[in-house]
Amino acid sequence: MTSAEAGGFAAAKEGLKAIGAQTQSINQQVSAGKLALDPQVAEDAAKRVEEERDALTNLLRKAQSLSTVKGLGDYPDGQQLAKRFEDKATDSQSGAVQLIRELQDELQKQADAFRAAARDYRATDERNADDLRRGM
């Protein structure tokens, strides 16, 4: 069992991988010239993805607060429970804080991919316009 599974975040880790695969697919299609989005559509998509990224900031704060759980007492059981909360929040490989940050990074990459598709659309449009002006 991986530390992500041990932390109870296996589904979140899989979701992050799926979003990463989507981003990679968008980038590959743009690079291959197979995806060119209308600039306004691409910008709207990028903004929507960035809104989702920004919404994660509140969740990030909540996850960070798990690392400072108070009031569980000075008994060993209370200290162990507080430590488990801290580990689930801050584990560098699979903690909630790390996963949220990775998701925010991936969403930004996806927004950037949408904008790259818009740039490709504009470049293609400009090339076509230039060709028409030259009589090709």
Side-chain angles (χ1 to χ4, degrees):
M1 179 180 339
T2 67
S3 59
E5 291 165 339
F9 297 116
K13 197 74 164 171
E14 288 303 311
L16 180 59
K17 285 180 188 177
I19 291 169
Q22 287 175 341
T23 304
Q24 184 177 15
S25 175
I26 292 167
N27 281 322
Q28 287 172 343
Q29 290 178 47
V30 170
S31 295
K34 295 180 180 180
L35 178 66
L37 296 176
D38 175 270
Q40 188 56 54
V41 171
E43 185 59 30
D44 290 347
K47 284 181 181 178
R48 180 67 184 115
V49 170
E50 287 172 339
E51 287 171 4
E52 291 296 321
R53 181 208 60 209
D54 293 343
L56 288 170
T57 301
N58 189 38
L59 184 60
L60 181 62
R61 270 189 242 113
K62 288 179 181 180
Q64 288 169 327
S65 72
L66 289 175
S67 66
T68 58
V69 172
K70 304 274 189 249
L72 296 176
D74 291 329
Y75 295 102
D77 288 346
Q79 291 175 350
Q80 287 174 352
L81 184 57
K83 177 70 174 142
R84 288 183 63 198
F85 276 113
E86 179 183 345
D87 290 346
K88 284 188 181 227
T90 61
D91 182 80
S92 65
Q93 297 298 311
S94 65
V97 170
Q98 181 63 29
L99 288 172
I100 294 167
R101 285 184 177 142
E102 287 176 18
L103 179 55
Q104 285 178 312
D105 290 345
E106 196 58 47
L107 289 173
Q108 185 59 55
K109 289 176 191 174
Q110 199 166 87
D112 294 342
F114 284 124
R115 289 192 176 104
R119 283 190 301 277
D120 190 54
Y121 179 93
R122 284 186 197 106
T124 301
D125 197 37
E126 288 173 13
R127 278 193 307 273
N128 290 341
D130 287 345
D131 289 346
L132 285 173
R133 281 190 289 274
R134 286 190 300 248
M136 296 182 113

